[in-house]
Amino acid sequence: MTSYRSRTVLAALAATAVAATLTGAGTAGAAAAATTRDAARPALDWAQCTHKGHLDGQQCAKLSVPLDYADPAGPRVELAVSRLPSTRPAARRGTLVVVPGGPGGSGVQRLSQKGAALAGQLAGAYDIVALDPRGVGGSVTAACGLDAADRRLTTLRSWPAADGGIAENADRSRRVAEACAANGGAELRGFTTANQARDMDRFREALGERKLSVWAVSYGTYVTAVYAQKFPQRTDRLVLDSSGDPDPKRVARGWLANMAQGAEDRFPDFAAWAADPARAAEGLRLAEHPDGVRPLFLALAEELDRSPKPSNVPGLPLTGTMLRQALQTALYGDAQFPAFARLVRAAQDPGAVPELPQELAGVLPDSDAALMVGVICNDVAWPKDVSGYARAVAADRAAHPLTAGMPANVTPCAFWKDAPAERPTRITDRGPSNILMVQNLRDPATPYAASLKMREALGSRARLLTVDHGGHGVYLGNGNACSDRTVTAYLTTGERPLRDSACPS
């Protein structure tokens, strides 16, 4: 296999060649290079999308990319891509890529979900496009051959035992890593953030665009930051919505660990909602004062640890771990508060049968489970000492009881068989100043303190818009007119705040 250093040199040579054509090394030379580039451009055969929930006018195609960019002449894989062409060609100024979160989010589905609202905001300024990353949706997938019990959200998330023990987590993590090594193949090894950034640039080439604008959310902000670091001159206007810490030594391990603080930051919003007298008429008021909601939740989770309660799913009782995971999910958006409050009420009622939310009741497809662990384990090496995780879990349980040590726990990455194929990208302040970050103050998944690490890394390249709101996702997601207006103005006019600024609630 080509070494990391060799791949870096090859990438630098390729970038130099592209730069020469863009800066005009002679008219004849540029024309010849453009002809060669057009001939080599991947073809996209657009057709009306047929997936469930697609929009009128949404088009889909397949993009062919190398399985391994270190071997560009080797095997190829296909990625699902989609677009909503501008309906106002005279107003069109470029192409905007919608980059989903995850790892595991579908760009094609997110375009279906947000495309109409986005098109309304952008008023024809862009063709709006997206792609399913490797491992997702209509793109190339891989499978590890995992047992159903190892494909539940509460097992993939590695929640400790009721007493804080992690022996079962370690055994499962080892079992998952071994299965992925035996069955995942080269496709699974190719699930990396760096490859997603390279795939995005192949998409740019196939679209015939010199530069891309981007709206990225959650994990997608890291993908986009990596893209901007690798291909800085191919970026136009970038919006990073809900960013995590890009520390190259930790990457996803740091994102997971930060969720403990994120839950603490966000929980007061739920507590205030659940103690509001308005909830009484709905039968969802959990306490008379916000301060009473937290001890109620913690005591109920501990009770379910001791005595799980039969649920609407035979053989799958509601446990304390499941209640904690349901809380994690509910904290993402205010709209999910009522369903979680109903689950709490059912758990409290001796005569009720709790109805498990789908994310707890169901089993993830094997390909989805493989992707969830593949990217985070392929990007960076994780510590291997199980005793170190045990100590971290004990400390995290004491500091952040809402998440009970899960964010610090062992994962399959501790036993992953393949070392990272390349070093994680270090995000720096070198590159165009064309990035707008938007961030909620109380985000359960990418907490504000972690987003400041991304802001610090980007330096003068970025401006940060802080939004006094809770939940995960800002633009077209939380109803804050100030932040929506600021992002839309930047994408359509290029007007960006002169300095870091804020939006009130």
Side-chain angles (χ1 to χ4, degrees):
M1 178 179 287
T2 307
S3 70
Y4 171 80
R5 179 178 176 82
S6 298
R7 288 197 300 275
T8 303
V9 172
L10 289 172
L13 290 173
T16 301
V18 171
T21 65
L22 295 181
T23 53
T27 304
T35 300
T36 300
R37 187 167 62 250
D38 289 343
R41 180 183 301 162
L44 292 175
D45 186 11
W46 295 107
Q48 178 67 30
C49 294
T50 58
H51 63 268
K52 183 178 180 180
H54 69 82
L55 298 173
D56 290 342
Q58 185 177 358
Q59 300 172 342
C60 289
K62 293 287 188 178
L63 172 69
S64 176
V65 298
L67 173 62
D68 181 355
Y69 279 93
D71 182 18
R76 303 182 71 80
V77 295
E78 287 191 328
L79 307 179
V81 299
S82 187
R83 72 175 178 181
L84 279 174
S86 169
T87 57
R88 298 178 59 208
R92 182 186 180 278
R93 65 169 306 277
T95 293
L96 177 79
V97 186
V98 176
V99 182
S106 164
V108 174
Q109 290 290 348
R110 185 160 180 82
L111 183 56
S112 298
Q113 295 160 0
K114 293 291 188 179
L118 194 55
Q121 290 286 316
L122 301 181
Y126 296 92
D127 291 340
I128 309 170
V129 305
L131 71 159
D132 280 351
R134 298 178 187 220
V136 178
S139 294
V140 59
T141 60
C144 293
L146 303 180
D147 292 340
D150 293 338
R151 289 187 274 116
R152 293 194 178 278
L153 186 56
T154 49
T155 53
L156 285 168
R157 278 286 177 91
S158 214
W159 288 89
D163 63 357
I166 69 167
E168 184 178 350
N169 303 132
D171 289 344
R172 180 182 294 111
S173 293
R174 184 181 291 103
R175 184 166 66 243
V176 169
E178 290 173 350
C180 289
N183 303 313
E187 289 80 9
L188 182 61
R189 290 193 294 274
F191 295 170
T192 67
T193 299
N195 276 344
Q196 190 170 334
R198 296 181 183 108
D199 291 342
M200 194 190 305
D201 203 54
R202 284 299 174 99
F203 192 23
R204 176 194 61 79
E205 291 178 355
L207 293 166
E209 294 288 355
R210 182 169 173 262
K211 293 184 176 184
L212 292 174
S213 292
V214 178
W215 171 37
V217 178
S218 193
Y219 165 67
T221 65
Y222 178 65
V223 174
T224 302
V226 170
Y227 182 81
Q229 197 69 42
K230 289 181 174 294
F231 309 106
Q233 300 310 317
R234 300 176 195 172
T235 61
D236 189 6
R237 298 171 184 171
L238 308 183
V239 176
L240 305 187
D241 183 338
S242 308
S243 302
D245 183 352
D247 180 358
K249 295 179 181 178
R250 289 161 57 85
V251 193
R253 182 162 62 94
W255 306 334
L256 186 61
N258 288 335
M259 290 178 69
Q261 184 59 53
E264 298 287 347
D265 293 345
R266 172 65 163 150
F267 189 83
D269 290 339
F270 172 71
W273 178 92
D276 190 323
R279 304 285 86 77
E282 306 162 354
L284 299 179
R285 193 181 189 195
L286 301 184
E288 292 188 2
H289 302 285
D291 289 349
V293 177
R294 181 186 177 97
L296 179 150
F297 167 78
L298 293 175
L300 180 60
E302 290 176 3
E303 179 182 339
L304 291 170
D305 283 336
R306 294 187 297 270
S307 302
K309 184 168 186 176
S311 76
N312 65 314
V313 181
L316 191 64
L318 176 64
T319 65
T321 287
M322 296 173 79
L323 188 72
R324 295 181 187 99
Q325 179 57 62
L327 172 66
Q328 285 297 107
T329 303
L331 294 179
Y332 274 55
D334 292 8
Q336 300 180 68
F337 288 176
F340 180 70
R342 281 192 291 271
L343 182 65
V344 170
R345 278 295 191 211
Q348 292 175 314
D349 184 349
V353 177
E355 183 172 344
L356 299 182
Q358 180 55 41
E359 68 269 13
L360 297 180
V363 175
L364 275 70
D366 195 34
S367 58
D368 289 0
L371 174 68
M372 281 184 66
V373 297
V375 175
I376 66 173
C377 298
N378 286 332
D379 269 3
V380 66
W382 290 50
K384 300 185 181 303
D385 178 19
V386 174
S387 64
Y389 288 104
R391 291 190 294 272
V393 164
D396 206 50
R397 286 170 66 85
H400 306 293
L402 292 174
T403 46
M406 179 274 291
N409 204 0
V410 65
T411 72
C413 303
F415 306 99
W416 209 243
K417 302 302 181 184
D418 295 302
E422 55 189 297
R423 300 184 187 96
T425 300
R426 178 176 292 278
I427 307 304
T428 75
D429 60 358
R430 296 188 295 275
S433 182
N434 61 355
I435 299 171
L436 174 63
M437 293 178 59
V438 289
Q439 192 80 24
N440 286 327
L441 270 176
R442 300 176 301 282
D443 187 318
T446 53
Y448 189 72
S451 75
L452 294 180
K453 298 293 186 181
M454 177 72 85
R455 176 67 188 90
E456 180 182 7
L458 291 169
S460 61
R461 298 174 70 184
R463 303 289 184 272
L464 172 62
L465 181 68
T466 299
V467 185
D468 185 5
H469 204 279
H472 189 51
V474 179
Y475 186 50
L476 305 182
N478 63 14
N480 186 278
C482 167
S483 57
D484 286 353
R485 184 171 57 249
T486 303
V487 172
T488 296
Y490 177 53
L491 291 175
T492 54
T493 70
E495 179 183 348
R496 187 180 62 163
L498 295 176
R499 60 188 62 85
D500 291 356
S501 54
C503 282
S505 60

